[in-house]
Amino acid sequence: MLKVLHHHVREGLFEGIKRANADEQVRAIVIIGEGKTFPCGADIREFHTHASVKEPVLTAVGHTIENSGKPVISAIHGTALGGGLEIALCCHYRIASENARIGFPEVLIGLLPGAEGTVRLPRLSGLAFAMDMIAFGKQVNAKDAFRHGILDKLCNGNILEEAKQFATKVIGQPLDSRRLSRLDVKDAANVDLLFEVALAQVKRKSRGQIAPIYCLKSVRNSVRMSFDKAVEEEQRLIMELMTGYQSTALQYSFFADRSAPKWRLPCGASVHNTKPSRIETAGVIGAGTMGSGIAVCLIRAGVPVILVEKNKKMLEKAMKTISGILDGSVKLNRMTSEQKEQCLAILKGTSTLDKLSNVDMVIEAVYENLELKREIFAQLDKVCKPSTLLCSNTSTLDIDKIASATNRPDKVAGTHFFAPAFIMKLMENVYGTKTSPATVATVMEFGRRLGKELEATKEEIKNIRLHLTVTFCTIDL
Ligand SMILES: CCC/C=C/C(=O)SCCNC(=O)CCNC(=O)[C@H](O)C(C)(C)COP(=O)([O-])OP(=O)([O-])OC[C@H]1O[C@@H](n2cnc3c(N)ncnc32)[C@H](O)[C@@H]1OP(=O)([O-])[O-]
């Protein structure tokens, strides 16, 4: 596990600083991460648990550090992120290995640096840099951080030894000018202009998201209010974000993103011992909103698609819609016109299922009617080659009941996309009682290829999970 500021880490740090302050032999204090890195933030798993509010909270640790009568130096290697960087900002000096990185990624999980980071960083780096770093969750390398005054020294040798040497040089020097809470914000006169420019960027780049706007407001408060008042307001803003649906969704997505590549089934099959098959071609059945959106995902990932829709007018309309969606991507510079044409070249429309005889995978996306889906799956079973995976985009129906309409239940799975499928990142892969590990491996690998955040869900728990994922995903990720 990476170094995160669990309750016991905060407690250890707090007690350590107090002990060092009380010990007459100690003349300076160095804070360094054991192992590969400085702390990369608060423990996200601890949020919403009692441990996150158990004393000493991060701000109390920070105050003890800043108020220490002996110089405190943070020696950063690896990454100092989020709460880790907030601890470093409470230190009187910061030195870092040349290849270290620092940043405030909180906004990426729908939060802001709520342990006084939005109020301290501008006092050190200036407003423009702080707004950019905090509202976009940017990580910067040590050289950039040094250039912007965040670090006092870059090290290329043993970081602990260099920190000890540095400490001997600063012993006895006045500390007040090193306590960021006592300093004014640099470039404060430009606050309104900088805020407007950053806000316009946020609205363009992080459309629909609340946290980046709160980040900017909180940084602006660092100029408009006293340190203490701005901190109070920062607390209010983070509490509002913490209880909102966007941060819940983004935190969920943070862990889903990391756990999906490590999927494991109760039978012992896992990503490590099960080989996926390569999907070279696919069929999508149903050219409504979901079917068209799924087809877009696939052709954008370079997978040739046969889109089946028995209503010819609807098929024609869907082909135009798909072309329009790709035009939108071209306008937003997400693809070139040439790439758009390449996507359209691998999309074919048809009104009959028999054209799917040779595809490697079919994703059915007709409306939620069990009998209709069973009928389609029974036909697919006859039409498709024996190795074809038969998948359903169903959000509520039982995969086992759909699979039982075929003679290949081991090759049937749910591949549940969320609307609009070409934007929403979550994909829930549902396995039934007879779905084989190889099928799970293939749909998980396929989802990864589409750039999705994945969930492997057992049919029995789908409905509980589904309730959660739907709630979580009502935002434009
Ligand atoms: C009062 C509030 C004020 C403060 C707020 C904050 O600090 S908010 C926090 C601000 N900080 C962030 O948002 C930092 C978020 N983290 C990152 O950006 C990256 O993890 C990284 C760049 C630190 C390392 O990348 P990498 O590719 O080397 O490694 P990896 O990404 O694969 O992770 C390895 C394992 O560590 C786990 N884990 C990681 N971080 C946390 C965490 N904070 N918590 C819990 N767990 C965390 C991760 O789930 C995974 O666990 P698994 O699956 O093995 O059980």
Side-chain angles (χ1 to χ4, degrees), residues 1-2 4 40-45 47 81-83 86 105-106 109 114-115 238 254-255 258 262:
M1 177 55 139
L2 290 154
V4 288
C40 65
D43 183 354
I44 304 170
R45 291 188 201 274
F47 292 165
L81 301 178
E86 284 171 315
E106 285 87 339
I109 50 168
I238 193 174
F254 175 87
F255 289 115
R258 283 158 178 80
K262 302 173 198 158

Side-chain angles (χ1 to χ4, degrees), residues 241-255:
L241 291 173
M242 193 71 96
T243 50
Y245 69 91
Q246 290 197 356
S247 76
T248 313
L250 290 165
Q251 284 164 43
Y252 177 85
S253 160
F254 175 87
F255 289 115

Side-chain angles (χ1 to χ4, degrees), residues 119-132:
V119 191
R120 273 206 176 81
L121 183 62
R123 289 173 152 78
L124 194 56
S125 68
L127 280 170
F129 195 74
M131 282 181 179
D132 199 40

Side-chain angles (χ1 to χ4, degrees), residues 289-290 293-294 297 417-425 452 473 475:
T289 310
M290 284 313 295
I294 293 169
C297 290
F417 293 72
F418 292 78
F422 55 96
I423 292 178
M424 297 301 284
K425 292 186 92 180
K452 296 289 181 193
C473 287
I475 59 166

Side-chain angles (χ1 to χ4, degrees), residues 200-257:
Q201 271 181 353
V202 152
K203 285 189 173 161
R204 207 173 55 246
K205 292 188 187 163
S206 318
R207 197 158 47 102
Q209 293 192 33
I210 304 167
I213 298 175
Y214 278 30
C215 286
L216 290 180
K217 284 185 177 172
S218 199
V219 174
R220 183 174 63 178
N221 290 341
S222 71
V223 174
R224 289 187 165 180
M225 300 174 185
S226 67
F227 183 87
D228 289 345
K229 185 76 195 137
V231 163
E232 208 181 299
E233 194 53 18
E234 183 192 73
Q235 276 304 300
R236 193 187 64 74
L237 292 173
I238 193 174
M239 286 323 292
E240 217 178 283
L241 291 173
M242 193 71 96
T243 50
Y245 69 91
Q246 290 197 356
S247 76
T248 313
L250 290 165
Q251 284 164 43
Y252 177 85
S253 160
F254 175 87
F255 289 115
D257 214 14

